Amino acid sequence: SLLDPAAAATTTTTTTTRTDTTTNTSPKVHLRIYEPPQGSYIAGTNFFVGLQVLTSDSESERLVYAARDEYKVCISIDEGHYSCWSTNSTIVYADVIHGSHSLMAKLYKDGNLLDDTASGLITLTTVSDPTMNMTGIEFHSQQFSPPPQANTQYDGLLDDEE
């Protein structure tokens, strides 16, 4: 399959008419966690995770979008095991222990976590009692929203929205 990440490592690249250009048929994609933002404080112990799928070029976007039902989105909290959801799911964590946490996301396909799709590590802090005196702390108010536009030309999503 063109989208098989295991094959990506062994895929032979083909040279185009220009000798300095090579083409690889595996999509170039990675995840970005946009919600909650890096370093945020969340009032309460429930929060949702917003993800954006970023592609490096239009061909990768086409390949990933065409195979979106073959992927799952997986998230690790506090460097634990990954939990996975379909790409059109709303991801909500409930009753998370009060304190500092880290999140990392990866795509999953054909029984494998795709390490090369990993988001950066995001840290956040949940505060079970937001009325306690925490001088200088501003709580992040979460709102469900579509992902922001990326700073790249292509920012394909894995759901049915365009």
Side-chain angles (χ1 to χ4, degrees), residues 32 34 50-53 145-150 155-157 159 161:
R32 184 175 83 83
Y34 69 89
L51 294 168
Q52 183 175 27
V53 178
S145 61
Q149 290 296 316
D155 62 336
L157 301 177
D159 60 17
E161 298 174 5

Side-chain angles (χ1 to χ4, degrees), residues 61-82:
E61 181 177 6
R62 186 191 66 73
L63 290 171
V64 171
Y65 185 80
R68 67 190 173 279
D69 294 336
E70 299 174 25
Y71 289 94
K72 291 194 180 299
V73 174
C74 302
I75 299 176
S76 169
I77 185 168
D78 299 332
E79 300 182 42
H81 294 289
Y82 281 85

Side-chain angles (χ1 to χ4, degrees), residues 13-16 18-24 28:
T13 58
T14 55
T15 304
T16 63
R18 290 181 52 190
T19 57
D20 62 341
T21 305
T22 59
T23 305
N24 190 329
K28 297 169 189 79

Side-chain angles (χ1 to χ4, degrees), residues 5-162:
T10 59
T11 298
T12 304
T13 58
T14 55
T15 304
T16 63
T17 54
R18 290 181 52 190
T19 57
D20 62 341
T21 305
T22 59
T23 305
N24 190 329
T25 57
S26 295
K28 297 169 189 79
V29 60
H30 71 274
L31 295 174
R32 184 175 83 83
I33 298 173
Y34 69 89
E35 186 63 46
Q38 169 62 29
S40 60
Y41 284 82
I42 306 293
T45 56
N46 303 331
F47 61 90
F48 77 92
V49 178
L51 294 168
Q52 183 175 27
V53 178
L54 302 174
T55 58
S56 60
D57 55 58
S58 61
E59 181 63 10
S60 291
E61 181 177 6
R62 186 191 66 73
L63 290 171
V64 171
Y65 185 80
R68 67 190 173 279
D69 294 336
E70 299 174 25
Y71 289 94
K72 291 194 180 299
V73 174
C74 302
I75 299 176
S76 169
I77 185 168
D78 299 332
E79 300 182 42
H81 294 289
Y82 281 85
S83 298
C84 299
W85 293 265
S86 68
T87 58
N88 62 354
S89 296
T90 300
I91 302 169
V92 178
Y93 281 89
D95 299 324
V96 176
I97 296 171
H98 168 90
S100 296
H101 301 284
S102 63
L103 298 174
M104 181 172 287
K106 295 180 181 181
L107 286 177
Y108 175 91
K109 184 175 183 268
D110 296 332
N112 297 301
L113 283 170
L114 308 180
D115 290 336
D116 59 345
T117 66
S119 67
L121 189 69
I122 298 295
T123 59
L124 66 121
T125 303
T126 55
V127 180
S128 58
D129 181 5
T131 63
M132 61 198 272
N133 186 8
M134 296 182 66
T135 306
I137 299 299
E138 185 175 323
F139 288 100
H140 173 66
S141 175
Q142 287 199 302
Q143 297 181 16
F144 288 98
S145 61
Q149 290 296 316
N151 291 330
T152 60
Q153 183 176 358
Y154 301 99
D155 62 336
L157 301 177
L158 289 181
D159 60 17
D160 292 330
E161 298 174 5
E162 292 190 288

